């Protein structure tokens, strides 16, 4: 709760703009309480702050019209994809207009020769991959939710494939953006690389809607690998598992996924998915390549794992066995909820250099135990990124406070270990104070950029910046 | 010549600052003509505009002191690495102080477990790889020159390995930067990924010294692959070669290098390196991986090549044969010069989507022939990036004008084909007008960022922006 407060409202401006937008958008302008609350909703512990109206945009021109009306009357604009972000990104602490982009859901072009696709921001990652099914291509970035690609770009999302394919930072070639003035720009072209001026694409990726509304994306695609193999191995300690990770990466084995589940998480998925895994730290891996290549890679990992004390190493290339393993991983969130029925699950997110990963995870486990918090760990460990999922009783204020304290402590620990307060969830409202600690003087450069591009501060106010 | 002019000088300020810096830096402040001209030098057709003094910085504090003095008196600061950039980046069109970072040449830390290194900006790419020799790690980005890593970050450099390892954009984890105010910031941490606020690292990479001076870099490293193989294949046309490239990438063959030489370039290296290659479009490739993997990859490429009409496909894993091939590629610049003794070689740089590459290269060849210009083509074709190297008589004004016209025409053609005016050389002074054509309204966002971070315009003025 600590970091979230309301901001001053421009009630006159808001009233005027809602009137204008009602005229312009008719029943695509919605002001009912339920719809508004749904658009302030985030999958998080942060309280709901609904916008004053929701516009269901269908074109870039729709978005530009909303932004121009809001700019003229200094009213906040909050871009909305699927509302699956985790740090209060779509809340409206100063009220304003939520621009819902879910109807902008067309794949505009697929260029198989260039391995790219042009999409509207409301296309979800699964919808894109469905669309690509016949092409032999895929888009690899997979945050937990079936998020919209516009939202994924805005929050610099990643997921389990990042160790091989990078994050949204690496996979957006170009964006169309409606600036806070209502002007529409393109940040790049379809060429694979460019040295033409400042990297506005990367500036917009991760700006969480505070610099403009993304209305079109050009994304990198990849050929679906000829073969895939999955492997799993149990380790005597988190440290041993992390050592296997380090050696695997150092040897240049091009692992596509490398996920850590701590003993608590393994216990949870055993129960939920009817598995019988040893209740100890577990690595799940996936390899992409040729048939011979994925076999070789899995076996090379097996050698490394046994060197550092891993046991029960198995690997497979059959789709059924692979899917069973990864389904269990994907269901980990639901599995964890069964550990404490009625509890709310709060997903945290920090990322450290891999050499510090074992220490970070182990310290987080010790700290959670000390606080009496149930907090299984999942990690995209190839990147040094891990999540403590804290299971709290939403009605127990004391426990909630402990949980808040634990989250702040995790951020501080990550910084101490040369890491970052967020690997993939973003800052939103939840981590504004920690961001100042992480960035120091660089936060004022961010603020200067914000003021330069959005002088009236209408774009998604109360997110990322403003805590200092 | 067209795009380069002098800017108004602040003579009083410059005189004052040179006085201050002489006191502070003694013989590390140089004002002799030869040294100044060497620091305005660029490997290019752009005339020399020397700075008023050169400071040989040894520490971040040195750099900050220079910038603070310049800021107080509104005097330009021009960061200098090795002076091997190609578009007039180190010229001083308004005079000012060149900050030479070549003495900031220490590798500060290597973290083998995390695959990263922390370096000062004056470390060159070859010096870093030399330093890493015993670790089994390497840094892959290889522009033609043995450039400084600070300069490579500033210009968003890439080279032959970009198709596999990305460009400087992808391989800088974090920077220390002296801002135009003299304040020192860090843009990130050592974690492999982050969603903590605006991506200042990527904003600084490619900003060509116009937003600050890079004083420290944290770079990604890679394990030296267990095995490498090289392959070559001749094609009946540029189009056939490009089709092989497209299929190779679509199949997900993780090629590390993929270079195109047109018939003219092949002729040049035949003569220079005593080779006997068929004088026709040639692809040179390199594969990194396990012994079995690189064999499999080379053979898979061979199949593709023969499908599209390639001939004379050979591949090898022996270091000697590999080095001979790549040495010939690296010497292509010198080889081309022998095509027309006494001529100056002007390297151009555009990048297009791969599906448009054959058309772009073919059109560039036809246009050069039409203009009577000798202009062999080399390309990092896995990225769609290619260079026409124009051999001109420096004393023939008419030919120089034709060459200028050809370069502008190349940029326009790249834009027409959904590409960019520069894949890796940057904008500098040479491509400011073309940048406006490429970016449209986005250029004014770049200008707004420039004004926000450098309100007095002291950082490397007359580069990237200001042509509109």
């Amino acid at each position: 709760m600590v970091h979230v407060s309301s901001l001053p409202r421009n009630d006159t401006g808001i009233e005027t703009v809602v009137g204008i937008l009602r005229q312009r958008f008719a029943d695509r302008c919605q002001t009912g309480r339920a719809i508004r609350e749904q658009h302030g909703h985030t999958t998080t512990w942060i309280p709901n702050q609904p916008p004053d109206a929701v516009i269901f945009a269908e074109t870039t021109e729709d978005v530009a019209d909303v932004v121009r009306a809001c700019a003229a009357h200094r009213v906040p604009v909050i871009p909305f994809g699927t509302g699956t972000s985790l740090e209060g990104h779509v809340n409206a602490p100063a009220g304003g207009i939520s621009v819902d982009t879910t109807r902008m859901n067309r794949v505009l072009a697929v260029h198989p020769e260039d391995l790219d696709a042009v999409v509207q921001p409301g296309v979800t990652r699964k919808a894109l991959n469905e669309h690509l099914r016949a092409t032999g291509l895929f888009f690899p970035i997979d945050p937990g939710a079936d998020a919209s690609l516009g939202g994924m770009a805005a929050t610099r999302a990643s997921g389990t494939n990042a160790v091989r394919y990078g994050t949204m930072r690496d996979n957006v070639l170009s964006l169309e953006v409606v600036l806070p003035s209502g002007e529409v720009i393109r940040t790049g072209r379809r060429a694979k690389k460019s040295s033409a001026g400042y990297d506005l694409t990367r500036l917009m990726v991760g700006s969480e809607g505070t610099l403009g509304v993304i209305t079109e994306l050009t994304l990198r695609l990849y050929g679906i690998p000829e073969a895939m193999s999955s492997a799993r191995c149990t380790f005597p300690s988190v440290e041993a598992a992390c050592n296997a990770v380090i050696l695997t990466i150092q040897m240049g084995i091009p692992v596509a996924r490398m996920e850590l589940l701590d003993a608590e998480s393994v216990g949870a998925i055993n129960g939920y998915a009817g598995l019988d895994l040893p209740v100890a730290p577990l690595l799940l891996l996936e390899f992409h390549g040729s048939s011979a290549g994925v076999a070789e890679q899995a076996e090379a990992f097996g050698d490394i794992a046994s060197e550092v004390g891993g046991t029960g190493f198995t690997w497979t290339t059959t789709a059924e066995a692979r899917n069973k393993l990864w389904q269990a991983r994907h269901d980990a969130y639901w599995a964890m909820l069964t550990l404490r029925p009625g509890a709310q699950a709060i997903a945290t997110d920090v990322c450290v250099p891999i050499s510090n990963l074992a220490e970070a995870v182990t310290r987080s486990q010790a700290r959670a135990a000390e606080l009496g918090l149930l907090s299984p760990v999942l990690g995209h460990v190839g990147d040094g990124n891990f999540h403590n999922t804290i299971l709290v009783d939403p009605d127990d204020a004391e426990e909630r406070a402990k949980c808040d304290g634990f989250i702040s402590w995790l951020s501080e620990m990550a910084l101490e270990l040369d890491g970052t307060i967020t690997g993939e969830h973003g800052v939103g409202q939840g981590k504004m104070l920690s961001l100042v600690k992480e960035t120091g003087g660089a936060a004022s450069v961010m603020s200067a950029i914000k003021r330069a591009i959005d002088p009236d501060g209408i774009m998604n106010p109360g997110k990322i910046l403003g805590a200092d």
Side-chain angles (χ1 to χ4, degrees), chain A:
Chain A
M1 253 56 49
V2 252
H3 312 331
V4 179
S5 51
S6 291
L7 297 173
R9 285 174 56 88
N10 166 10
D11 281 313
T12 323
I14 290 171
E15 201 178 316
T16 308
V17 165
V18 172
I20 293 169
L21 297 178
R22 267 214 188 94
Q23 281 234 315
R24 162 76 170 79
F25 290 97
D27 64 354
R28 289 197 285 130
C29 172
Q30 293 282 330
T31 54
R33 181 150 194 94
I35 285 186
R36 290 191 298 110
E37 284 191 346
Q38 184 244 322
H39 283 76
H41 176 74
T42 55
T43 319
T44 175
W45 52 300
I46 294 173
N48 196 312
Q49 296 172 312
D52 292 279
V54 177
I55 304 299
F56 291 89
E58 293 174 356
T59 63
T60 298
E61 204 42 44
D62 284 351
V63 175
D65 281 354
V66 175
V67 174
R68 275 193 289 262
C70 287
H73 300 277
R74 303 198 174 190
V75 165
V77 179
I78 302 105
F80 185 93
T82 54
T84 48
S85 66
L86 293 161
E87 295 290 348
H89 295 92
V90 295
N91 259 342
I97 312 300
S98 174
V99 182
D100 183 310
T101 57
T102 48
R103 296 188 191 175
M104 295 176 73
N105 61 357
R106 283 187 306 136
V107 176
L108 300 172
V110 177
H111 303 109
E113 295 186 330
D114 298 316
L115 298 185
D116 72 52
V118 184
V119 305
Q120 291 188 309
V123 175
T124 69
R125 63 181 183 87
K126 288 185 184 172
L128 175 59
N129 281 323
E130 191 59 38
H131 185 97
L132 293 172
R133 184 171 279 201
T135 63
L137 304 175
F138 79 114
F139 182 71
I141 314 300
D142 66 338
D146 184 21
S148 68
L149 291 160
M152 285 167 60
T155 54
R156 205 181 294 131
S158 51
T160 65
N161 286 307
V163 63
R164 170 78 177 260
Y165 299 97
T167 74
M168 288 302 280
R169 181 187 78 191
D170 310 294
N171 288 290
V172 177
L173 284 172
S174 170
L175 294 169
E176 179 188 79
V177 176
V178 176
L179 295 176
S181 62
E183 196 195 342
V184 183
I185 62 160
R186 280 187 180 277
T187 63
R189 324 220 3 136
R190 285 206 302 115
K192 281 282 174 289
K193 66 183 192 186
S194 174
S195 288
Y198 302 161
D199 192 343
L200 298 184
T201 306
R202 251 51 59 184
L203 181 63
M204 290 294 168
V205 170
S207 65
E208 303 185 4
T210 65
L211 299 177
V213 187
I214 294 169
T215 48
E216 194 182 293
L217 306 91
T218 305
L219 301 170
R220 295 185 84 125
L221 304 177
Y222 297 83
I224 294 175
E226 178 198 326
M228 296 187 193
S229 66
S230 285
R232 69 173 165 85
C233 189
T234 296
F235 291 86
S237 64
V238 166
E239 200 182 345
C242 289
N243 286 338
V245 169
I246 289 169
L247 289 170
T248 303
I249 290 179
Q250 272 186 334
M251 282 196 47
I253 300 176
V255 61
R257 290 169 153 172
M258 184 146 49
E259 298 285 304
L260 171 72
L261 288 79
D262 74 351
E264 261 176 339
S265 297
V266 172
I269 67 166
N270 269 349
Y272 188 80
L275 299 173
D276 194 22
L277 297 162
V279 180
L282 177 75
L283 285 183
L284 299 183
L285 297 94
E286 191 168 275
F287 305 96
H288 295 175
S290 66
S291 299
V294 300
E296 187 186 45
Q297 291 167 34
E299 281 158 8
F301 170 75
D303 292 345
I304 289 170
S306 76
E307 256 176 58
V308 299
T311 51
F313 168 73
T314 61
W315 70 276
T316 176
T317 56
T318 66
E320 199 187 351
R322 276 197 296 111
N323 290 344
K324 192 175 173 194
L325 202 62
W326 286 104
Q327 192 58 49
R329 164 63 187 87
H330 278 303
D331 290 342
Y333 176 86
W334 306 106
M336 286 173 185
L337 283 175
T338 64
L339 292 179
R340 189 178 178 190
Q344 190 182 9
I346 295 172
T348 69
D349 167 43
V350 295
C351 185
V352 298
I354 300 177
S355 62
N356 292 333
L357 183 61
E359 181 178 348
V361 171
T362 310
R363 280 174 65 182
S364 83
Q365 291 170 320
R367 179 73 177 179
E370 196 180 305
L371 293 167
L373 292 170
L374 188 56
S375 164
V377 173
L378 291 176
H380 311 310
V381 285
D383 303 313
N385 186 201
F386 68 97
H387 309 298
N388 289 71
T389 304
I390 311 158
L391 297 158
V392 283
D393 176 351
D395 300 322
D396 182 336
E398 199 187 332
E399 198 175 281
R400 289 294 302 255
K402 265 189 203 167
C403 174
D404 291 352
F406 181 52
I407 293 172
S408 300
W409 177 91
L410 278 168
S411 290
E412 306 244 359
M413 179 191 64
L415 295 179
E416 224 177 86
L417 296 175
D418 220 354
T420 175
I421 59 166
T422 169
E424 56 183 20
H425 292 176
V427 178
Q429 296 179 304
K431 290 196 167 168
M432 292 204 294
L433 276 175
S434 298
L435 181 70
V436 179
K437 288 181 195 155
E438 170 161 342
T439 53
S444 58
V445 178
M446 294 184 196
S447 296
I449 292 168
K450 168 72 173 173
R451 283 191 303 273
I453 296 179
D454 182 21
D456 293 325
I458 64 166
M459 285 306 312
N460 210 7
K463 317 296 163 65
I464 302 184
L465 297 165
D468 48 346

